[in-house]
Amino acid sequence: MPTKIDFRDCVHQGVAGPTPDHILASIHAEYCMPRASLPALRDGKPAVALGMQLEDFAALARALGHEAFRQLVGDVLRQRDPGSTLAQLPDFLTRHRYGRATPALIDLARLERAVAECERAPDIQSVGLCCLPPELVRTHPDLTLSLHPAWRWLDLAAPVDRWRDALLGGAAIDDAPAPRRVRLRVHPRQGGVSVHRLTTVDFAFETALQGGTSLRRAEASARLAGADGATFDPVRHLQTLLLAGAVIGAQLHPHQDAMRPHSHLTETQPSSPLNEVMP
């Protein structure tokens, strides 16, 4: 008969998610770490999902020049599709003469769109590290996760992250960067947005998790992605994601309902005699 681990709210202020009784001793020993806070406000107003705006593509505007950017925006909004918005600008660039002439502009627009969407993300409480400790994760290789919808992963053909920094920093407008594949993670961080470069192995692992695959399969994807995969530790990497506020839900077994913050997480086998619910 299935047993259930009863959870209760974590005793640490600022940590979202329930905490099982059997790791409370570890929590009181300061094992439990506060989760990263996600931005609830933007310019003093509640963070809500808003449409793309011209200022969201400031680096692209600087790279193209004012007149060319205005023309591009007009071309996007004049499409036959009545629902055309600036959110479609990166995709439109793939068919536009500017994008065909300078493919790095497409990646730059994709990056700026991801940053803007991340900035506008509503506040969603994440699962704390205390709720998915290493010992629990290692014994559940079929674990699947729900990641924060504001987090974005980009596989780009050019290192436009550095180009964007230079453009927004007021540096002289240089030519577009030469093609060189980069993999980026864009996510909320300390009231702002972080654009972080990932190794091939880390990118394979995180995108596999984001796609809903199990921890076991995500680890296999990481190990096949590059030479560094042989030493990859999925549990350690998952801890960094938890600390950054990436995880908003977890499912220990594929057939069970997903865990959500301040809910219950169920087991099909007793993890400890102390946690068994007697009939």
Side-chain angles (χ1 to χ4, degrees):
M1 182 176 180
T3 61
K4 183 172 71 175
I5 301 176
D6 289 322
F7 280 69
R8 61 185 177 184
D9 289 349
C10 179
V11 297
H12 277 62
Q13 183 179 4
V15 176
T19 301
D21 292 342
H22 71 283
I23 63 168
L24 279 178
S26 296
I27 291 175
H28 288 301
E30 297 300 319
Y31 174 79
C32 176
M33 300 294 292
R35 71 177 180 90
S37 297
L38 299 178
L41 299 176
R42 190 184 188 213
D43 298 329
K45 299 178 181 179
V48 294
L50 301 174
M52 296 289 101
Q53 301 178 25
L54 289 178
E55 57 266 29
D56 294 326
F57 296 98
L60 179 64
R62 185 167 174 80
L64 282 171
H66 179 67
E67 291 302 322
F69 180 67
R70 282 187 57 188
Q71 182 180 36
L72 173 64
V73 170
D75 291 344
V76 172
L77 299 180
R78 280 193 298 269
Q79 293 183 90
R80 293 181 180 178
D81 182 359
S84 296
T85 68
L86 287 178
Q88 298 170 327
L89 192 152
D91 304 314
F92 182 77
L93 259 177
T94 63
R95 309 185 301 273
H96 195 274
R97 63 184 183 279
Y98 292 156
R100 292 196 299 267
T102 310
L105 291 172
I106 301 170
D107 283 347
L108 180 61
R110 290 178 62 197
L111 174 56
E112 292 207 283
R113 178 176 62 185
V115 170
E117 290 173 342
C118 195
E119 286 178 336
R120 289 176 169 82
D123 186 38
I124 299 178
Q125 291 205 327
S126 58
V127 176
L129 179 61
C130 59
C131 306
L132 287 173
E135 58 268 25
L136 181 65
V137 174
R138 292 189 190 280
T139 56
H140 293 82
D142 292 323
L143 171 76
T144 60
L145 302 171
S146 298
L147 301 187
H148 195 296
W151 285 50
R152 300 285 187 272
W153 287 264
L154 300 174
D155 189 351
L156 305 178
V160 296
D161 52 333
R162 305 286 166 80
W163 191 31
R164 175 177 177 269
D165 290 343
L167 290 167
L168 296 180
I173 302 176
D174 296 324
D175 292 335
R180 180 168 58 85
R181 192 173 181 183
V182 294
R183 297 163 181 85
L184 304 177
R185 181 214 295 148
V186 182
H187 63 94
R189 182 181 180 185
Q190 297 178 349
V193 175
S194 172
V195 178
H196 181 71
R197 287 191 179 188
L198 295 175
T199 66
T200 304
V201 171
D202 292 350
F203 186 85
F205 179 72
E206 293 184 15
T207 52
L209 289 178
Q210 191 268 341
T213 193
S214 67
L215 183 67
R216 186 200 309 271
R217 292 185 177 182
E219 178 185 1
S221 297
R223 294 193 184 281
L224 292 172
D228 294 341
T231 59
F232 181 76
D233 184 345
V235 177
R236 183 184 297 273
H237 195 90
L238 179 55
Q239 287 180 290
T240 66
L241 293 177
L242 286 164
L243 285 171
V247 180
I248 62 172
Q251 188 175 359
L252 292 185
H253 301 284
H255 65 277
Q256 293 178 345
D257 292 334
M259 178 188 79
R260 293 179 177 82
H262 304 292
S263 65
H264 298 286
L265 183 149
T266 59
E267 281 271 24
T268 56
Q269 297 295 329
S271 64
S272 166
L274 298 177
N275 296 310
E276 291 190 34
V277 177
M278 302 304 293

